[in-house]
Amino acid sequence: MKRSFSLVELIVVVAIVGIGIGLFYSVLVVNWVSLEKQVSLVDLQMEADKISEAISADGRLARLITITGAGKNVLFSLPADLGPTVTYSIAANGEISKDSGSGSYVISRYLDYNSCSFAREGNALLANLSLVDDVFGQRLRLAVSIRIFPRNLL
């Protein structure tokens, strides 16, 4: 006599396999979202480092620092042999750009306009930057403060 599986046994096996696949999928999705968030935060940190390096390089050489535009623009007056001035501007669309005698270019497009500013702190320049990115509908934010101490202030 041949023995075969009953309908109840087949339904139980399919249900167990379905539960296993559901658990595996949910763990996979949670880990994927977590991975994307970490990658985005690393990208934001790299953008912050790029901005910091650009501003610091010119800020350390500055003879005079002028902040305008409600703290959204900083102008570095450089020694004569390096060029007259360099301006960094934070735009309402989230861009920070560098404008010098050789032209203008965008350094980053990840800034939160309302949370970014330049300020004087004694002889130092304080750049408060907030970088943002959206990952799976969630907004990630990285806040960075940069202190630059010019070497050539008058």
Side-chain angles (χ1 to χ4, degrees), residues 11 23-24 37 54 57 62 67 69 86 100-101 106 116 126 130 135 149:
I11 290 174
L23 290 174
F24 176 75
K37 285 181 181 178
I67 298 171
V86 174
S100 63
V106 174
C116 296
L126 180 62
S130 180
V135 176
F149 295 92

Side-chain angles (χ1 to χ4, degrees), residues 123-142:
N123 284 337
L125 171 71
L126 180 62
N128 294 310
L129 304 174
S130 180
L131 290 88
V132 293
D133 195 12
D134 290 322
V135 176
F136 293 114
Q138 296 178 352
R139 192 163 185 111
L140 298 178
R141 180 178 304 275
L142 177 69

Side-chain angles (χ1 to χ4, degrees), residues 65 67 118-128 145-150 153:
I65 298 174
I67 298 171
F118 297 107
R120 289 298 295 263
E121 191 176 78
N123 284 337
L125 171 71
L126 180 62
N128 294 310
S145 291
I146 306 163
R147 274 192 186 80
I148 301 164
F149 295 92
L153 281 182

Side-chain angles (χ1 to χ4, degrees), residues 22-134:
L23 290 174
F24 176 75
Y25 180 75
S26 66
V27 168
L28 180 69
V29 167
V30 168
N31 286 333
W32 185 262
V33 170
S34 179
L35 173 69
E36 288 296 320
K37 285 181 181 178
Q38 289 302 315
V39 168
S40 181
L41 283 174
V42 169
D43 288 344
L44 290 177
Q45 185 62 51
M46 289 173 58
E47 287 286 319
D49 290 345
K50 183 170 66 170
I51 295 167
S52 174
E53 288 173 12
I55 295 174
S56 295
D58 291 323
R60 283 194 292 271
L61 298 173
R63 293 181 101 31
L64 178 67
I65 298 174
T66 307
I67 298 171
T68 61
K72 301 299 181 185
N73 303 312
V74 63
L75 175 99
F76 297 123
S77 297
L78 301 176
D81 59 333
L82 297 175
T85 61
V86 174
T87 303
Y88 289 89
S89 302
I90 301 170
N93 63 357
E95 294 180 347
I96 183 167
S97 59
K98 175 182 178 178
D99 185 18
S100 63
S102 61
S104 178
Y105 69 94
V106 174
I107 299 171
S108 178
R109 291 180 165 86
Y110 290 97
L111 295 180
D112 179 14
Y113 178 79
N114 295 322
S115 302
C116 296
S117 64
F118 297 107
R120 289 298 295 263
E121 191 176 78
N123 284 337
L125 171 71
L126 180 62
N128 294 310
L129 304 174
S130 180
L131 290 88
V132 293
D133 195 12
D134 290 322

